[in-house]
Each structure stands twice: as structure tokens, then as C-alpha cells.
Amino acid sequence: MTKEQFVLELQRIGAIKFGSFTLKSGLVSPFYFDLRDMISFPEILDGVSNLLVERIKDMDFDVLTGIPYTALPIASLVASKLNKPLVYMRKEEKAYGTGNNIIGKFEKGAKCLVIDDLITTGASKIETAEDYEKEGMIVKDFVVVIDRSSNGKEDLAEKGYELHSLINLAEILELLESEKLISAEKIEEVKTFTASIAKPKEISKEIPNPLTKKLINKIREKKSNLVLSLDVTTQKDFFEMLDKVGSEIVMLKTHADIIDDYDEKFVPKLQEYSQKYDFIIFEDRKFADIGNTVKHQYQNGVYKIRDWAEFVTVHMVAGEGILKGLFNGVENRSSFVLARMSSKGNLINETYSRKCFEIVRKYPNVVSGFIGHGKDVEDIKRYKAKFPAGMLLLTPGVKLERGSDAMGQQYITVEDAIQGGADCIIVGRGILKAEDPGKEAKIYRERAWREYEKKM
Ligand code: 5BU
């Protein structure tokens, strides 16, 4: 069965209807697709499953699913023809989140391809993907029989998912018109309706956080996406290194608590260097306690970090109280949230990352973005696609070559990071241990900037 024959069959069995239909949203649509009855027509079901097999046979996935009810029988036929395992999610119990929401066997981390009959807006697909991700699967691709949406593909792409469709509304209209099965007026009516429900494109993603703007501006002025992680343990080494690399970096990342001879002279000198070489100061303190404790850790104690670091890092494990505690009454300071880490076997999973994004949406004034890593360019892209608008990505675990260290640090390349969407790369030993750190920092800066410029 060809695509065209399939559409005509749908029309014959009444699965494509024109008239006046009130949708769930309350909108009145001049057309309606209902593929539920297709299961009672074996030749149509077989035909559409063959078309789907052709569409997806070369895609990369481990298991297949169909969204109940309509797409499930279709997906099972396709799975059987492709000799791929099928799973599906219970429709009824998923709200309780008690685990075991998936029927069928799969390995954690399995790539799951999702089949559905229709796409109207991207919203329910995104929810479905997130439900599967909660269960430990990776969702990248959706395949639908009919794309009747106005912006479905774009909506999914924004979240890092790809939509594939067998056929779209425009093709159906064209075919029905050529077969004289629909009037020109009706076509106009359908087109006017779909245009009217199309979401206006977001014109600009306004960045409300002044420190985010400052960092972006400095990246552009200095043509540098390089953040140096200056992990040395004496002030002498610290400032000697800064003299070698200061002019190459946009931001300096410190761990003040690893400096053996830290004293009251350290901060004024650091500030002097930050003026001299024009970089931002970022203390990688990784706050993780309850709000009241982190408030003191930030403002008091030996380091008084609030006084000198414009950015800090924050774990969200204690919940949003941490952001309330840290930034209560504090101005002109911002943070990066650890919604993923670079170390092997870290305990962060997709659900945790997503929860971080949800919280951060409420605090755009004190969060500038996320730390993040990934196994390859695509993986990082998918991570970044889920960020709330205006958030930056800083990627540690970067060297000129891929690799790892003896304590679980994993390295991707400069190009992997920036192509994946990193706004800055965080580099420590790749530069610190080089024979000529100044020269090495220049190489990192240039390689990162070259990729970044391509994206601009
Ligand atoms: P390296 O020498 O380039 O491996 O140093 C990386 C730095 O980034 C080091 O200071 C870490 O504490 C920091 N880091 C990281 O490596 N991975 C993470 O996920 C986070 C921070 Br968050």
C-alpha cells in the first residue's frame, strides 16, 4: 500500500472527517482525524505498519512503544515486523508513580522509539517522553502516522526530540483535492484554522539576569569561552599561573578551600588580577546544605565567598530552599546549578536533572545556567534543549582529546562540548599540567571560539 492509497482508505472508512468538531481544548475545528477503527480493517493496518517499518527501519533504537490506545496495536505489528521488543506504559496507573508502570522488558538506558497515530501539539508527546525517561529509558524520536499540527515538530525539537511523520495535513489536503474529494472552500477553511492556532514564534529570548548578560558580553568581547579551573594549592602557584593564562580566559573558577596558605591577602590580590586580565570570578563551592546553613557558608566563615565571587555552583539536592537561603538579600550574584556532572558513575539521573530545571524556572534572577556534560554531542544537545529559556551551559571534563583520569573524571573534547551547546568549557589539568600553560590555554580558547562562532 502506498501512502496515497493509505490516505484514500482512511477517507473511505471515515477516519478523515470534515465538518465542525469541538476539540478537547474547546476550539472548533473544521476537520477531525480518528484512526481508532483502523484495527478492524486488517489490510489498512497491515499497510500502515509496512509504511512505518520503511520509515523507521534504519533509526537507532532498542525498544519500540505505541501510545495507548490507538497506536499500541499499530506499534505491536511494527515491532513484530522489525523483530524489535515492544513495551508500553499503563495508561491508568502512571499517575501514582509506583514504579512498574511499563509493561514489557527493557534495560535501563534503552533507547525507546515512540509511535503515535497523530500529533496535534507537541505537549502530550513531551509528557510521554518524560514519563519514559522517568522509568530509565532514553527517548529521542517520535514517529506519527499523521502530523496535523501547526508547530509540533518545532515544539518537540525545542525539547530535544525529533518528530518523524508518515504524512502531514497539507499532503492529505492536496491528495484529496486532486481526487476531487474535497472542495476548494473546505481546504481554505482548514488552512485558515491551522494558521490561526499556530503559536507565534518566540521572537527573542530575553535574558533577565544581569550577570548572565555580563558573562555573555565578556565571552564576545574577549572571544573566549574558556573558564580556567585553577586547582593548585599555594598562592604562589595560583598567581604565577594566572600571569601565564589570565589574558586567555573569560572566567576563573576557584576552589578557595584547597589553598594551603589562604589568608586575608588572597582576595584583594585575586581582585587585582581579575581587573588586570579582565575575567570574572567563579567559586566552585558546590553548596548543598539547607538554606540557613548555605547562607552562612556563603556569607561568613573564613572565605566570605559572597564578597568576591560573582558566580558559585549549587547542588539542588536539598531542594529550592538552597537558592532562597543563598541569595536572600544578596544582590548582583548568580549561580550555576549542577544538573549533571562529569564524573563516572555519578548518581544524577534524567529525573533529577529535570527537577533542577523545574526549580530554576522560578529563580531566573539568581541562576545563570547549569553545569553539564554528556557522552557525545547529541547527548549534550538533548540535555541543553531542556533548559529553561536564557540559561547557559558550562561544561567541565574537557581536554583536547577524549579520555579519563584515575579517579573517575571523564573527558570529552572542546569540539564535543561546544557543538553540544556549551557556552563555556571548564578546563583544569589540560592547561595546568601542560609544559607551556599559556600556549595551551590559547589553543583551548581558539578551538572553543572557532566552534562557538560557527553557531552564532
Ligand atoms: P580538570 O582538571 O579539567 O579535570 O578539572 C575540572 C574541574 O571542574 C575541577 O575543579 C572539578 O572540581 C570541576 N568539576 C568537574 O570536573 N565536573 C563537574 O561535574 C563539576 C565540576 Br560540577
Side-chain angles (χ1 to χ4, degrees):
M1 186 179 284
T2 64
K3 239 165 54 167
E4 289 71 23
Q5 286 166 335
F6 170 64
V7 172
L8 296 177
E9 284 297 287
L10 288 183
Q11 153 88 11
R12 182 179 68 81
I13 65 168
I16 300 179
K17 295 186 174 79
F18 295 95
S20 182
F21 306 90
T22 306
L23 304 178
K24 241 194 271 171
S25 58
L27 287 172
V28 179
S29 168
F31 67 100
Y32 196 74
F33 294 123
D34 183 351
L35 306 194
R36 278 176 298 189
D37 290 346
M38 219 166 63
I39 47 170
S40 310
F41 300 86
E43 65 297 346
I44 302 182
L45 192 59
D46 191 57
V48 72
S49 66
N50 288 338
L51 291 169
L52 285 167
V53 163
E54 273 311 301
R55 193 80 171 80
I56 69 186
K57 66 179 197 284
D58 297 323
M59 290 185 192
D60 177 27
F61 62 98
D62 304 308
V63 296
L64 231 163
T65 190
I67 302 180
Y69 294 103
T70 309
L72 188 51
I74 306 175
S76 50
L77 242 180
V78 173
S80 159
K81 288 181 191 233
L82 282 170
N83 201 19
K84 285 279 192 183
L86 179 79
V87 298
Y88 70 92
M89 184 163 296
R90 279 177 217 278
K91 221 171 146 63
E92 297 76 15
E93 279 181 31
K94 76 177 183 204
Y96 301 98
T98 49
N100 248 354
N101 288 330
I102 306 251
I103 315 289
K105 297 269 180 238
F106 65 96
E107 308 251 326
K108 288 265 174 229
K111 287 180 224 140
C112 179
L113 184 138
V114 186
I115 294 186
D116 207 356
D117 53 339
L118 296 169
I119 180 164
T120 310
T121 71
S124 74
K125 302 286 178 289
I126 292 165
E127 265 174 40
T128 300
E130 291 178 348
D131 287 342
Y132 276 89
E133 286 164 1
K134 261 188 239 164
E135 303 287 335
M137 284 193 223
I138 297 172
V139 177
K140 201 170 127 273
D141 296 291
F142 283 88
V143 181
V144 297
V145 177
I146 297 177
D147 178 0
R148 57 156 288 173
S149 70
S150 305
N151 302 88
K153 196 170 173 72
E154 291 80 6
D155 288 350
L156 290 187
E158 240 175 55
K159 298 281 175 190
Y161 305 112
E162 197 172 339
L163 178 72
H164 312 263
S165 58
L166 269 192
I167 191 148
N168 64 34
L169 180 62
E171 290 172 299
I172 293 175
L173 294 178
E174 203 179 308
L175 180 68
L176 295 180
E177 191 182 23
S178 72
E179 296 287 324
K180 309 225 174 333
L181 291 165
I182 188 173
S183 67
E185 296 78 56
K186 198 73 204 171
I187 290 186
E188 263 325 293
E189 201 187 327
V190 172
K191 286 187 177 161
T192 310
F193 172 77
T194 45
S196 75
I197 59 167
K199 265 196 319 192
K201 289 255 172 298
E202 220 172 321
I203 296 158
S204 75
K205 287 199 169 127
E206 182 56 22
I207 294 170
N209 182 320
L211 278 162
T212 312
K213 280 189 198 151
K214 177 174 171 177
L215 177 55
I216 294 174
N217 288 338
K218 206 170 284 299
I219 290 172
R220 294 183 180 171
E221 274 161 36
K222 258 191 127 174
K223 296 191 177 0
S224 173
N225 315 78
L226 178 59
V227 178
L228 177 71
S229 187
L230 223 184
D231 302 334
V232 295
T233 54
T234 65
Q235 290 203 41
K236 180 170 176 293
D237 289 350
F238 190 96
F239 292 109
E240 277 180 11
M241 185 58 75
L242 264 187
D243 272 324
K244 293 181 188 148
V245 303
S247 55
E248 302 293 336
I249 65 176
V250 66
M251 186 150 74
L252 177 71
K253 188 175 82 62
T254 56
H255 284 293
D257 58 353
I258 66 171
I259 298 190
D260 293 332
D261 53 349
Y262 182 95
D263 60 14
E264 74 291 345
K265 293 197 208 87
F266 179 79
V267 166
K269 195 163 173 190
L270 174 58
Q271 286 168 329
E272 201 183 291
Y273 270 70
S274 117
Q275 294 287 319
K276 181 172 168 194
Y277 292 112
D278 191 24
F279 58 74
I280 295 171
I281 304 172
F282 170 29
E283 163 63 25
D284 189 5
R285 175 61 182 75
K286 299 189 175 69
F287 292 102
D289 214 316
I290 60 165
N292 187 55
T293 306
V294 294
K295 182 179 168 68
H296 291 309
Q297 289 172 328
Y298 188 31
Q299 305 185 11
N300 307 113
V302 178
Y303 303 107
K304 300 188 176 39
I305 296 164
R306 186 192 62 176
D307 294 349
W308 52 271
E310 287 188 287
F311 292 101
V312 290
T313 41
V314 180
H315 278 294
M316 284 285 64
V317 67
E320 65 190 283
I322 203 161
L323 291 176
K324 287 187 185 151
L326 273 178
F327 295 104
N328 181 18
V330 173
E331 280 184 12
N332 233 352
R333 295 286 180 259
S334 190
S335 63
F336 286 93
V337 166
L338 286 95
R340 260 195 191 183
M341 289 192 73
S342 62
S343 46
K344 190 169 177 12
N346 72 74
L347 304 182
I348 293 178
N349 60 21
E350 299 248 355
T351 310
Y352 182 89
S353 304
R354 192 155 42 83
K355 292 275 178 200
C356 291
F357 304 149
E358 276 168 26
I359 293 176
V360 162
R361 251 178 253 283
K362 295 193 250 169
Y363 299 89
N365 298 329
V366 293
V367 181
S368 291
F370 300 90
I371 306 288
H373 198 262
K375 64 179 190 317
D376 52 34
V377 172
E378 289 309 311
D379 188 36
I380 306 170
K381 272 190 186 162
R382 260 189 287 128
Y383 172 63
K384 190 170 186 196
K386 294 182 186 169
F387 285 12
M391 292 287 152
L392 305 182
L393 167 62
L394 310 188
T395 298
V398 171
K399 279 198 170 178
L400 297 180
E401 304 293 335
R402 287 177 155 247
S404 55
D405 76 5
M407 287 184 253
Q409 174 70 304
Q410 307 177 111
Y411 293 105
I412 54 172
T413 66
V414 176
E415 285 75 16
D416 290 336
I418 303 279
Q419 284 169 17
D423 297 280
C424 290
I425 49 166
I426 299 177
V427 183
R429 286 163 288 176
I431 291 171
L432 305 178
K433 302 278 183 211
E435 217 169 280
D436 184 343
K439 206 165 127 200
E440 202 73 357
K442 187 166 187 289
I443 295 173
Y444 276 91
R445 180 181 68 74
E446 286 176 353
R447 276 177 58 169
W449 181 254
R450 193 166 50 227
E451 289 304 318
Y452 186 77
E453 242 189 335
K454 284 187 204 160
K455 293 191 308 189
M456 276 204 295

